[in-house]
Each structure stands twice: as C-alpha cells, then as structure tokens.
Amino acid sequence: MRERRGKEFYVLAIFFTVFVIFLYGPVSAILILSFQGPNGGLTFPMNGVSIHWFFALFGEQLVGDFKAAFLRSLQLGLVVMVVTIFVSVLTGLAFRKKFFGSTFLFYTTVSSLIVPSILVSLGIGLLYNLMEWEAAWYSSGMGAHLTWTLPFGFLIMIAVFNRFDRSYEEAAKDLGASNWQTIRYVVLPIIAPSLIGVALFGFTLSYDEFARTLMTSGVKNTLPLEIFGMTTNVTTPTLYALGTLTTIFSLVVILTAMGIVFYMQKRRERFGTDAGKGV
Amino acid sequence: MKRYNPIVLIAQVSPISAILGLFLIVPIATILIVSFWDYSEFMLLPDFVWTNYYDTLSSFVTYKTYLNTFKYTILTWFFTLLIGFPVSYFLCFHVRTLRWQIVLFLICTIPFWTSNIIRMISWIPFLGRNGVFNSMLISLGLTNEPLEFLLFSDFAIVLAFVHLYTLFMVVPIFNSMMRIDRSVLEAAIDAGANGWQVLTNIVIPLCKPGIAIGSIFVVTLVMGDYITVRMMGGGLRASVGVMMWNEISLLLYPPAAANAVVLLVVVLILVSLMMRVVDLKKEL
C-alpha cells in the first residue's frame, strides 16, 4: 500500500488540521489574552502585554479563595485516582471469568457513564439531605466523582485483560509462584502502562469535574465550581489568568503521564525481554 | 479452568459494588421515591402522590423544553459525526505509521483531560460583541454592526457542544476502523470497487458499533447537560437540565425528581435504541 498520496489524502489532511485548530484555537486565545495589559479587556486586541492579571489573581480582593479550592481539587483528584486504580484492577481481575451477577455489574458500571450527571448530583444531594449526613467535597463529592471515573477505569481494565496473555501467569504458577506473587510480580508489571492511563483518567476527570460536583460538594468549592462562580462576577482577564494556570497544570499532568508510559515502553525494549508483549 | 475462590471473588467485586451502590443506585432510588413526595414551602412531605408527574407531563413548557433539548441533541450529534468520522478515517487509513497515528490521536484526545468550563469560557474572545468573529466580519465588509447572536445563543450552545464532545465520537469510531481487516478493503478494490463504494459498502457498515457508541456518549451528554446551555446561552435558553436545575435552586425537590425520572426514562429509551447495533463487550 505504498502508492502515491491521492487528492483524498490532502483534502482529509486539511480537514484534520482545521479540526485541530478548532480544538486548540479557543484555549490558546485565552492563554494569550491572560497576558493582556492592565487596561485590556476580555477580547482582542491585546492592549499591551503584562502579567498584571496573574498578580490580580493572587491579590484575592476580586476573586474567591482559589488557592484553597485548588488544594481541595488536587487532594480530591489524588484520592479519586488511587481509589480508581485500586478498584478498577480488582474488578478487572474478577471479570476475567464469568461469575454470578457479572452481566448485571457490567451494565451497572457502564450505566454510571450514561446516567445524566445532573441525576447523580441531585440523587446524592437528596440522599445526604434526607439522611441528614453532611455533604462535603471529600465524602459525597468523592463518591460522585467515582461514579464518573470508575467506569472509565473499569472499561480500560476489561480491554487490557481481554488482550492479556495468560501463559505468563501459568508459567509463574508452574514455577511455584503463589497467587499473590503471580499478581504482584507478573500481572501488575505487565499492565503497569495501562495503570498510568487509568491514573490519568482518574485524576484529570475528578480535577475538572463540574456537573456531578455541583450539589455534592457541600459548602466548600472545588476549583471548577470556583471558576464557574467567577464567570458570573469577574469580567476581567483575571478569569483567563486562572484558566491559563489550571490548564497548564492539567497539561503538565497529562504530559507527565504520557512521558512515564513512553519511558516504561522504552525501558522494556531496552532490556529486551518479551514481558511487554502481553499488553 | 479452575473455578473462582468465592472469597477472593467477593473481595474483588465488593469495592465497586459498594461505591456504585451507595453513590449511583441508592441515589437514583432516592430520586424515584422523592418524585412521589409532596412538598410545602420549607419541607419535603413523605407521601405517595402523582401530582409531580402530572404537573410535569401536563405542562406545555415541558414539551417545549424537551423539543429544544432534542434540537440541541440532534444538531450536536449530526455535527460531531460529520466531523468525527472523517477525522477518524484520516487517522486510520491515511496516516501510515503507527507512531504518527499515536501522536495525532493523542493530540485529538488531550483536550478531553482538561477543564470543560475553561473550554467553554475560551469562546468568549471569539464570539463576544467585540470578538474575533465580529471584527473579522466587519473588516471583510460582510456586516456593519457586530452580530449579537454569536454569544449567548443556540449557535453558541451547539458550537460549544461540538467543541467539547467531538472527541467522544472520534475515539470509538477510530477504534472500530482499526479493527477492519485491510485485506477486505484490498479485495474490494481488486474486485473493481471505487473509493466511494468501499466507504459505503464496507467501512461505514463495519464502523456502525463505533458510531453507535459515540452517539450514545454524545446524546446522553447533551440530553443531561445544564452547564453548557446555561453558560453559552447566557441563562436565556432552556433545556431539560436547566429546567431541573432551576427547580433544584428553588428547593423544589419533588418536581425536580419527577423531571429527573422522566429524563432518565427518555435517555434510557434512546440508549437502548442505539445499543441494538452494538455488543458492548465485543468492543473492548
């Protein structure tokens, strides 16, 4: 299939490029506009270049307490990430065989993605209300986030184990490894790059989650709620400055995760074993 | 094959069952129960009445709102598919090396891991009264006055939806396309099929599961949305989610709950229609 590129290729390549510009253009615009001069507004043109709005952001008069909100979102994201990895792996291991109720559990988990977020938010809010439990970002909020991150982690693990070559495990068992040793020293290292993927989903989806957080976070805001609050009462590029910071943070997280996966794969190639072929 | 040790199995599935039980199933059951309750100004009154459903289903506003939500859903679905299919097609069949496929695929998926709110805010500099689009139109002489309808309009809402959710279409369609055996395509070409025939007789039919999964994502996300419509519509546009959200803000929980149940039923019907094309377990 090494024939010359046809007209179709160029048309589609242009289409794809326009799509990428459409994806990234708007966000790049706010990255640029956050460096607006002190007299600049929310739209182009740039009225000078400054970091005025970043200072304004840390000044705290105009905006809410975004630092505390950031710390909350960060902690929540990390906890949700760890729980998502742990629970997804356990569930993935269980789903390697059929068991009583496996179909029900499968569709319940998938439906967690499909049920509109506002229902999850309202339902958890109502439940806490009626039970007179106190809703908070680290309890009800965390539960709400898990209903969104777990299905992703679960589906990834199902896909991973569907491609998993079980002869590695059988070899380990034949050599006398216990069940736990097989998992710890054979299965987990093989699926490690996929776990980084699950971690990325767990952290970022929680860190950015809005719809399922709104009624479940109690009195203290997570970062997305704080940003949403700002959109109604902040009409300066401070909003963009915060948007820039949190987007850069997300990008660092995403690229770090990808970097780790890349490094793991390189390392496997370098050591020349066939241990990675099962993934 | 050895059978599972039941204790190990229970240990493996109990965390997910507990979490989804407490934060998904019980809350939805709560909504169902509360939807039959009565309420006064300050409190919920446990009861079994149909008034909340009656009020919802007999109101003209409900139907109008659903119609409007369907409009957003259909438009978003149409455009995400129109964009998502060629993008996946390009990635799958025209990018020749795996390395570039991975790089370009990741470029398409990175925005998924960033904040939706920021991605919505980022349209302000473009669509606002003094935004890029208006300046462009004026300098091209296409209009004298800035167009007011760009921000806070149906146009902005659908644009934001397409911007946010095209990814959800690209990933499953790409996944389906990558499973197509290339020799089938070559056989078709050898048998004299032209590009269009290959597309319509082979690629599209084999992509149906991917298209269906993407559609399920897009349709459910748009049907249940309240934040995009609120932000991009400037609080002036209605959708089912916004209607529910307004009731929730007024602490009218039983009517909101009834609305939620109706929405859930509608969404489940739509999903089950789309699921006829897919065997989800085979797609993983």
Side-chain angles (χ1 to χ4, degrees):
Chain A
M1 290 272 282
R2 270 278 154 187
E3 73 266 43
R4 281 192 55 220
R5 305 280 200 194
K7 202 171 71 184
E8 192 186 274
F9 169 80
Y10 292 101
V11 172
L12 283 171
I14 292 168
F15 187 86
F16 184 84
T17 313
V18 173
F19 173 67
V20 171
I21 294 170
F22 170 66
L23 268 188
Y24 288 88
V27 182
S28 348
I30 70 161
L31 296 193
I32 296 167
L33 282 168
S34 61
F35 292 97
Q36 186 68 280
N39 299 318
L42 283 172
T43 49
F44 287 106
M46 294 286 282
N47 201 339
V49 176
S50 76
I51 49 169
H52 176 84
W53 302 107
F54 290 93
F55 278 111
L57 186 58
F58 287 92
E60 265 185 58
Q61 279 84 11
L62 269 174
V63 290
D65 192 3
F66 86 91
K67 272 170 278 180
F70 167 75
L71 286 177
R72 270 177 229 126
S73 279
L74 181 65
Q75 292 170 50
L76 183 56
L78 289 173
V79 175
V80 168
M81 177 184 90
V82 171
V83 175
T84 305
I85 296 174
F86 183 70
V87 176
S88 304
V89 171
L90 281 182
T91 317
L93 287 171
F95 267 83
R96 299 203 291 174
K97 284 194 191 139
K98 271 210 165 314
F99 56 87
F100 177 75
S102 61
T103 306
F104 176 76
L105 188 56
F106 180 85
Y107 283 105
T108 307
T109 313
V110 172
S111 71
S112 193
L113 280 183
I114 285 165
V115 171
S117 299
I118 192 168
L119 261 90
V120 177
S121 213
L122 173 66
I124 296 176
L126 271 178
L127 176 68
Y128 270 65
N129 200 336
L130 294 180
M131 292 295 171
E132 297 182 351
W133 298 336
E134 202 180 333
W137 58 274
Y138 49 80
S139 56
S140 47
M142 185 176 80
H145 284 196
L146 286 171
T147 63
W148 182 232
T149 60
L150 275 183
F152 282 103
F154 170 74
L155 292 176
I156 293 172
M157 287 328 294
I158 299 272
V160 167
F161 282 126
N162 276 352
R163 291 164 177 70
F164 191 87
D165 185 351
R166 297 202 77 162
S167 48
Y168 292 116
E169 275 171 276
E170 280 156 25
K173 292 250 170 72
D174 288 346
L175 290 169
S178 68
N179 281 338
W180 168 244
Q181 283 172 323
T182 312
I183 302 236
R184 167 70 185 79
Y185 294 105
V186 178
V187 178
L188 285 183
I190 292 178
I191 65 172
S194 316
L195 295 187
I196 302 290
V198 175
L200 179 63
F201 273 88
F203 181 79
T204 58
L205 295 187
S206 161
Y207 178 73
D208 295 321
E209 175 52 46
F210 179 87
R212 297 188 186 213
T213 325
L214 193 51
M215 288 192 66
T216 56
S217 74
V219 287
K220 294 203 165 125
N221 278 350
T222 59
L223 192 60
L225 295 184
E226 196 73 25
I227 294 173
F228 178 68
M230 276 178 77
T231 61
T232 52
N233 57 31
V234 177
T235 50
T236 62
T238 331
L239 183 60
Y240 297 156
L242 182 52
T244 298
L245 288 183
T246 173
T247 305
I248 288 175
F249 178 75
S250 293
L251 290 179
V252 168
V253 170
I254 296 165
L255 295 176
T256 307
M258 288 177 181
I260 295 174
V261 173
F262 184 72
Y263 170 76
M264 281 177 167
Q265 256 138 17
K266 282 279 148 204
R267 195 163 166 271
R268 280 181 186 176
E269 283 166 24
R270 191 145 37 92
F271 285 96
T273 73
D274 56 358
K277 300 275 167 62
V279 178
Chain B
M1 281 275 183
K2 273 192 301 182
R3 295 236 9 231
Y4 257 126
N5 178 347
I7 296 168
V8 171
L9 179 66
I10 288 168
Q12 283 170 338
V13 297
S14 52
I16 197 165
S17 312
I19 292 169
L20 292 182
L22 183 59
F23 293 108
L24 182 73
I25 294 175
V26 174
I28 287 175
T30 313
I31 292 178
L32 193 62
I33 293 167
V34 172
S35 71
F36 289 105
W37 284 13
D38 207 348
Y39 58 101
S40 71
E41 251 171 277
F42 301 110
M43 54 194 297
L44 301 175
L45 307 167
D47 203 337
F48 189 85
V49 293
W50 288 92
T51 46
N52 300 312
Y53 287 100
Y54 181 80
D55 290 345
T56 300
L57 296 175
S58 66
S59 154
F60 176 63
V61 177
T62 309
Y63 295 99
K64 225 178 105 184
T65 311
Y66 265 92
L67 213 61
N68 209 31
T69 313
F70 284 132
K71 183 179 77 186
Y72 295 143
T73 308
I74 291 168
L75 284 173
T76 308
W77 174 79
F78 176 75
F79 285 112
T80 50
L81 184 59
L82 196 72
I83 299 171
F85 191 88
V87 165
S88 316
Y89 188 87
F90 174 75
L91 277 179
C92 182
F93 295 113
H94 283 284
V95 179
R96 284 172 177 170
T97 60
L98 183 65
R99 175 188 298 252
W100 274 104
Q101 269 178 340
I102 294 173
V103 169
L104 295 178
F105 182 77
L106 287 177
I107 287 177
C108 291
T109 45
I110 282 175
F112 172 69
W113 294 306
T114 65
S115 165
N116 279 1
I117 304 261
I118 308 270
R119 292 174 71 205
M120 284 181 231
I121 291 172
S122 66
W123 282 106
I124 296 174
F126 285 85
L127 301 179
R129 203 166 183 283
N130 303 312
V132 172
F133 284 167
N134 270 324
S135 330
M136 235 162 59
L137 291 176
I138 290 171
S139 62
L140 287 173
L142 291 174
T143 169
N144 298 321
E145 294 280 297
L147 299 176
E148 299 283 353
F149 72 81
L150 288 177
L151 194 59
F152 304 148
S153 63
D154 286 350
F155 169 77
I157 292 169
V158 173
L159 181 71
F161 276 139
V162 173
H163 187 227
L164 292 174
Y165 299 145
T166 301
L167 248 57
F168 285 92
M169 208 49 117
V170 172
V171 175
I173 295 179
F174 178 71
N175 181 37
S176 285
M177 278 181 185
M178 290 298 275
R179 285 152 186 254
I180 297 176
D181 187 346
R182 301 298 166 111
S183 52
V184 177
L185 303 181
E186 278 173 35
I189 292 166
D190 290 346
N194 62 31
W196 179 252
Q197 285 171 322
V198 172
L199 182 70
T200 51
N201 291 329
I202 300 177
V203 180
I204 292 179
L206 289 176
C207 284
K208 264 189 195 161
I211 295 173
I213 293 175
S215 306
I216 289 171
F217 268 116
V218 171
V219 166
T220 54
L221 285 166
V222 178
M223 283 300 293
D225 173 272
Y226 58 105
I227 187 64
T228 313
V229 176
R230 244 218 80 174
M231 265 187 81
M232 302 308 286
L236 303 168
R237 306 284 152 166
S239 76
V240 180
V242 170
M243 177 169 73
M244 277 175 60
W245 176 240
N246 291 338
E247 286 168 342
I248 293 167
S249 329
L250 297 170
L251 304 181
L252 300 173
Y253 290 126
N259 249 321
V261 174
V262 174
L263 174 65
L264 186 62
V265 170
V266 171
V267 167
L268 289 180
I269 290 171
L270 291 174
V271 170
S272 63
L273 289 176
M274 292 184 277
M275 283 289 278
R276 300 175 114 179
V277 193
V278 218
D279 182 350
L280 202 51
K281 284 187 172 164
K282 279 196 190 142
E283 290 303 309
L284 294 165

